[in-house]
Amino acid sequence: MLKKIIFTIFNIFFFINSSAQIKKNKKFDLGPILANNDPETLLMVNMLQELNDSGDPINNYHWNKKLADLYYSQIELVPRDETVKYWFKYCTQLLLAGENKNCINQIEALLQKQNLVYENLINKSDLPLIELLALAYLRLGEYNNCQNNHNEYSCILPLENDAYHIDKQGSKKSIEIYSKIYNKFPLDKYKWLLNLAHMTIGEHPFNVPDSYYIKFPNWKKERKDFPKFREIAQNIGVAENGLSGGVSLEDFNNDGLIDVFITSYGMKDQSKLFINTGFGFKDSTEEAGLGGLVGGLNTVHADYNNDGFTDIFILRGAWLGKGGNHPNSLLKNNGDGTFSDVTKSSGLLSFHPTQTAAWADVNNDGHLDLFIGNESRSNESHSCELYINQKNGKFLEKSSEHNLSSIKGFVKAVVFGDINNDQLPDLYVSIMGAQNLLFKNDNGIFKNISKSAGVEEPKYSFTSWFWDVNNDGFNDIFISAYDESNLKNLSGDFVKELQGDQVISEKSKLFINNGDETFREESKSYGMDISMYAMGANFGDLDNDGWLDFYIGTGSPEFSSVIPNRMFRSIEGNQFEEVTSAGGFGHIQKGHGVGFADLDNDGDQDIYAVLGGAYEGDEYPNICFENPISSNNWIVLDLKGVDSNRSAIGSLLKIELDNGRTIYNSINTGGSFGANSLQAEIGLGSCKSIKKLTINWPNSKPQIFYNINVNKKYEIVEGQDKLSEKKYLKLRMRDNKKISHHN
């Protein structure tokens, strides 16, 4: 069969050239940078432009249009026995570039020329080719429907009627091919894709053959009666179409409303700032001076210079290895609605592949420092960096002086949290493919206590955070599993767990703090011992009951990894129940940056998530879930540091309620991939008032306030003995029910 394919490729190569040749990349438009005449910002824009102009597609696996062109040009040049390999690479890159129809045309033309039927390719040697065709049809259906006819129900499982595909050709053809593949190779991943394809055209569960039917949702594993959240991103103007990226939810212009800043992984993808107007969000990217500041897989925010305006740090180059020596960006908030890139003048300019960083005052001098987790693999060595704030807008790299220079590995998450309540931030580092690390902060010197603390697993890890999951006053640690060895079959793991079958891939871990600098692993007892394949994730309180819940963005770069993103609700700090399907959170597009924040000032937290994959053809509009739950009480606390850092990062709140319950809360942006607002949005359950609020600031004595009314927002300034109530009225976000299109 292989020889016949090689011969045929020569014969048909130019036969479909006109339909298969993809368009060349357009040169990046520098027009938007004219909105910002700041010399240093222009310097960063030019550096990013140069990376795009001079980059080698071979070192940039996500430059799929250029890679397709490259392999196309080599088909005639390589020896005859190499032809099929380069043609297959070409077809694969067509799919990854979003050229689904062209990929299909290439393969179908081959079959027609050879008088072959699908069954002829269902063997071990030709399986990758027929899989590629089936996946191309599945993607064609998704693009023609979920993208071109996008609405608030698109791609969210279980599908509503409005989410069913109008153009059914792609799904029907994928069912035809996958069913034939499954009959010979009955793997769970094919089983899931078949059920999913049937779902898209309204045939699940009643018209799915018994041979591969999957019961979904499995209400024995999920709570069925949880309130449904509405996906409103396009209605409020934040359904930005892009690839994987980060999000920072914060009040960037100090008007009391939470804004949205996002990035996208593509090296030409513009970062975007959406300002909350009270009726929706306005794209303020150009007027904010951000034009030309492109790319970035993640973002974290804080007020690094204590001027009262929150700044942003963008991380770039992740996963690219040799091609990932990109500059990060520190965006200084100028306080007038604009930002300036001050990466070089601040001393933060370096060139390493990274997607993770965290702010903390590691030496308790009242100024935030920055730790960056860089990626090292095989012959590529990139040490992690600790930048100490010099209190004048500048930073110095001081990892050696703080015993952190030895951290090398494929770092996927770095997070700070206080594990022993000594008001010093400790550091946890997630390393994919190696033991994870916990460093205790001993007066500014970090000591590795990973082994004695018992927090080194899982070996293949990704997202992480500190949180007090059981409200005992001690920070616990969550670390998600991401079994890199099984990324092509992660949907198979999802099916196994859905059906109650054993999964051998690594599971996520929940480490409960014992209060003595050791932890016990409790993922099984909490119902979290599952193969989440989490990328972006974060936590908050969905129902204002005072217990922390979390949302997981799932997936991998593989186009076949289309499993739901997942939401888990805490049951009084003792266990988690999945509420993905009932709550309407089960979006099957790949999930990355996740943020919890009260976007509409109604007292409960909404969720924003950046969707999209790593390849050029895997774009998708971001989503925003509006929280409908309002039965429990709440409080919003906006802390302003004076002796401590202005963002109050690292402060610990102890809230004693009138019903005898105590809730603990730490000021930070939450998880490692996606950044929550720094204002503390705290659910209080059914309590009617707060008897006592204790604030442990990093740099001053505790402050105590008594008898506080609930369902209000207060500003608290370090050292001032009065709470300042702030206006906090529910916003009237616009409700435009017209379906928008995303191309």
Side-chain angles (χ1 to χ4, degrees), residues 293-305:
L293 295 174
V294 294
L297 189 54
N298 199 6
T299 173
V300 289
H301 62 271
D303 184 356
Y304 80 92
N305 55 2

Side-chain angles (χ1 to χ4, degrees), residues 577-648:
E577 60 181 2
E578 185 163 3
V579 295
T580 300
S581 298
F585 302 112
H587 212 295
I588 61 172
Q589 298 295 328
K590 299 170 180 65
H592 289 84
V594 173
F596 284 69
D598 186 4
L599 298 177
D600 53 3
N601 281 12
D602 65 351
D604 50 32
Q605 291 187 306
D606 311 295
I607 300 99
Y608 189 88
V610 175
L611 301 184
Y615 299 118
E616 287 175 337
D618 210 5
E619 292 184 331
Y620 200 81
N622 297 339
I623 54 175
C624 182
F625 293 111
E626 181 183 27
N627 194 327
I629 304 172
S630 58
S631 58
N632 283 325
N633 294 321
W634 51 271
I635 192 168
V636 175
L637 301 175
D638 187 10
L639 274 61
K640 306 294 186 186
V642 177
D643 294 323
S644 304
N645 68 87
R646 182 63 178 261
S647 295

Side-chain angles (χ1 to χ4, degrees), residues 262-375:
I262 59 171
T263 61
S264 179
Y265 188 47
M267 289 171 60
K268 296 182 180 181
D269 294 353
Q270 176 65 53
S271 58
K272 292 288 186 77
L273 175 64
F274 296 93
I275 294 296
N276 192 334
T277 66
F279 297 93
F281 289 81
K282 176 188 176 185
D283 186 344
S284 301
T285 303
E286 290 194 27
E287 60 192 75
L290 297 171
L293 295 174
V294 294
L297 189 54
N298 199 6
T299 173
V300 289
H301 62 271
D303 184 356
Y304 80 92
N305 55 2
N306 290 347
D307 66 352
F309 294 95
T310 303
D311 314 293
I312 303 170
F313 191 66
I314 301 175
L315 296 132
R316 300 189 178 97
W319 299 97
L320 296 177
K322 189 175 178 181
N325 296 332
H326 296 182
N328 301 315
S329 278
L330 177 62
L331 305 182
K332 177 180 175 289
N333 188 334
N334 297 316
D336 59 0
T338 69
F339 289 79
S340 296
D341 192 303
V342 295
T343 314
K344 184 177 181 182
S345 62
S346 69
L348 292 179
L349 183 62
S350 63
F351 299 87
H352 305 284
T354 180
Q355 67 170 56
T356 184
W359 296 97
D361 185 358
V362 302
N363 53 8
N364 267 11
D365 64 356
H367 290 74
L368 289 171
D369 312 299
L370 182 66
F371 186 79
I372 304 174
N374 295 318
E375 297 177 351

Side-chain angles (χ1 to χ4, degrees), residues 51-337:
L51 283 172
N52 277 288
D53 289 344
S54 62
D56 183 351
I58 296 298
N59 293 328
N60 292 278
Y61 73 93
H62 59 342
W63 284 11
N64 308 110
K65 292 181 175 65
K66 289 185 177 181
L67 285 169
D69 282 343
L70 176 64
Y71 295 133
Y72 181 87
S73 68
Q74 292 176 338
I75 292 175
E76 283 191 300
L77 305 177
V78 298
R80 181 176 287 257
D81 60 354
E82 292 282 296
T83 300
V84 66
K85 182 173 74 173
Y86 279 85
W87 175 79
F88 181 74
K89 286 183 176 182
Y90 168 59
C91 291
T92 300
Q93 292 301 325
L94 285 177
L95 176 64
L96 300 182
E99 297 286 333
N100 309 306
K101 190 63 176 175
N102 287 342
C103 177
I104 290 168
N105 288 343
Q106 282 282 334
I107 301 172
E108 291 285 12
L110 172 70
L111 297 178
Q112 183 178 2
K113 189 75 174 178
Q114 285 283 9
N115 293 317
L116 299 174
V117 294
Y118 296 145
E119 286 85 352
N120 295 131
L121 297 180
I122 302 176
N123 56 73
K124 287 187 178 180
S125 62
D126 297 321
L127 187 60
L129 181 58
I130 193 67
E131 273 192 290
L132 185 66
L133 180 60
L135 193 54
Y137 274 117
L138 191 67
R139 294 290 300 184
L140 181 66
E142 183 273 325
Y143 183 82
N144 287 346
N145 294 275
C146 298
Q147 281 276 31
N148 288 345
N149 296 294
H150 181 72
N151 63 62
E152 64 184 83
Y153 305 105
S154 297
C155 289
I156 299 177
L157 301 186
L159 296 178
E160 301 272 354
N161 289 343
D162 287 348
Y164 293 153
H165 289 188
I166 299 171
D167 178 356
K168 298 183 179 183
Q169 179 195 14
S171 289
K172 282 185 173 293
K173 288 293 291 184
S174 69
I175 290 170
E176 178 187 352
I177 300 172
Y178 274 126
S179 61
K180 296 178 186 299
I181 297 174
Y182 182 77
N183 287 338
K184 192 166 184 179
F185 299 100
L187 301 179
D188 283 329
K189 70 172 183 177
Y190 301 137
K191 192 176 184 180
W192 171 249
L193 293 173
L194 277 165
N195 278 264
L196 181 62
H198 280 286
M199 291 177 197
T200 64
I201 55 177
E203 293 184 352
H204 188 281
F206 302 110
N207 292 326
V208 181
D210 292 339
S211 60
Y212 56 74
Y213 168 67
I214 297 173
K215 184 178 182 180
F216 182 87
N218 185 341
W219 295 118
K220 292 182 179 180
K221 291 181 174 293
E222 291 196 53
R223 176 174 167 180
K224 190 174 184 179
D225 59 347
F226 191 79
K228 184 160 187 164
F229 284 50
R230 183 184 173 195
E231 202 286 285
I232 62 168
Q234 67 186 59
N235 294 338
I236 62 175
V238 289
E240 184 66 20
N241 199 38
L243 298 176
S244 54
V247 59
S248 283
L249 302 180
E250 192 53 79
D251 180 6
F252 290 110
N253 57 0
N254 289 357
D255 65 353
L257 307 178
I258 300 297
D259 310 307
V260 178
F261 178 83
I262 59 171
T263 61
S264 179
Y265 188 47
M267 289 171 60
K268 296 182 180 181
D269 294 353
Q270 176 65 53
S271 58
K272 292 288 186 77
L273 175 64
F274 296 93
I275 294 296
N276 192 334
T277 66
F279 297 93
F281 289 81
K282 176 188 176 185
D283 186 344
S284 301
T285 303
E286 290 194 27
E287 60 192 75
L290 297 171
L293 295 174
V294 294
L297 189 54
N298 199 6
T299 173
V300 289
H301 62 271
D303 184 356
Y304 80 92
N305 55 2
N306 290 347
D307 66 352
F309 294 95
T310 303
D311 314 293
I312 303 170
F313 191 66
I314 301 175
L315 296 132
R316 300 189 178 97
W319 299 97
L320 296 177
K322 189 175 178 181
N325 296 332
H326 296 182
N328 301 315
S329 278
L330 177 62
L331 305 182
K332 177 180 175 289
N333 188 334
N334 297 316
D336 59 0

Side-chain angles (χ1 to χ4, degrees), residues 289-517:
L290 297 171
L293 295 174
V294 294
L297 189 54
N298 199 6
T299 173
V300 289
H301 62 271
D303 184 356
Y304 80 92
N305 55 2
N306 290 347
D307 66 352
F309 294 95
T310 303
D311 314 293
I312 303 170
F313 191 66
I314 301 175
L315 296 132
R316 300 189 178 97
W319 299 97
L320 296 177
K322 189 175 178 181
N325 296 332
H326 296 182
N328 301 315
S329 278
L330 177 62
L331 305 182
K332 177 180 175 289
N333 188 334
N334 297 316
D336 59 0
T338 69
F339 289 79
S340 296
D341 192 303
V342 295
T343 314
K344 184 177 181 182
S345 62
S346 69
L348 292 179
L349 183 62
S350 63
F351 299 87
H352 305 284
T354 180
Q355 67 170 56
T356 184
W359 296 97
D361 185 358
V362 302
N363 53 8
N364 267 11
D365 64 356
H367 290 74
L368 289 171
D369 312 299
L370 182 66
F371 186 79
I372 304 174
N374 295 318
E375 297 177 351
S376 296
R377 270 192 167 177
S378 59
N379 60 344
E380 291 292 322
S381 179
H382 299 275
S383 298
C384 295
E385 301 164 286
L386 174 63
Y387 287 95
I388 298 298
N389 197 322
Q390 301 301 296
K391 309 178 187 179
N392 58 359
K394 298 183 183 299
F395 294 81
L396 291 177
E397 207 289 312
K398 296 285 187 178
S399 57
S400 296
E401 295 181 14
H402 293 266
N403 195 36
L404 294 174
S405 61
S406 63
I407 304 176
K408 291 183 181 179
F410 200 61
V411 177
K412 289 287 95 184
V414 296
V415 284
F416 284 105
D418 186 357
I419 65 168
N420 52 11
N421 293 340
D422 63 355
Q423 295 182 279
L424 292 169
D426 309 299
L427 175 66
Y428 190 70
V429 181
S430 163
I431 304 177
M432 187 177 291
Q435 292 177 334
N436 302 314
L437 303 172
L438 176 62
F439 291 89
K440 174 188 171 183
N441 187 337
D442 189 359
N443 293 314
I445 304 301
F446 287 83
K447 297 182 178 179
N448 188 343
I449 62 168
S450 315
K451 189 175 184 62
S452 63
V455 294
E456 295 177 317
E457 293 184 320
K459 181 179 179 181
Y460 290 97
S461 60
F462 204 147
T463 313
S464 184
W465 58 67
F466 287 95
W467 58 346
D468 189 351
V469 73
N470 55 2
N471 265 328
D472 66 352
F474 289 94
N475 271 318
D476 311 302
I477 299 173
F478 170 77
I479 177 73
S480 72
Y482 196 80
D483 199 329
E484 193 180 20
S485 65
N486 199 43
L487 294 185
K488 290 187 177 181
N489 298 305
L490 68 84
S491 56
D493 277 358
F494 177 70
V495 170
K496 282 185 170 65
E497 289 180 336
L498 192 67
Q499 299 176 142
D501 299 331
Q502 185 178 3
V503 171
I504 61 172
S505 300
E506 280 201 291
K507 316 297 191 303
S508 300
K509 302 296 181 184
L510 175 63
F511 296 108
I512 299 296
N513 195 327
N514 294 319
D516 58 1
E517 299 178 3

Side-chain angles (χ1 to χ4, degrees), residues 152 230 234-236 733-740:
E152 64 184 83
R230 183 184 173 195
Q234 67 186 59
N235 294 338
I236 62 175
M733 294 290 185
R734 68 174 180 266
D735 188 14
N736 181 4
K737 295 184 179 179
K738 293 181 181 179
I739 295 175
S740 59

Side-chain angles (χ1 to χ4, degrees), residues 530-567:
I530 55 179
S531 58
M532 293 178 184
Y533 291 98
M535 298 183 294
N538 220 321
F539 62 90
D541 187 354
L542 291 176
D543 48 6
N544 280 342
D545 64 352
W547 303 103
L548 295 174
D549 316 304
F550 67 102
Y551 189 50
I552 293 292
T554 64
S556 81
E558 297 292 329
F559 273 13
S560 61
S561 66
V562 280
I563 63 174
N565 298 309
R566 305 172 75 173
M567 183 73 81

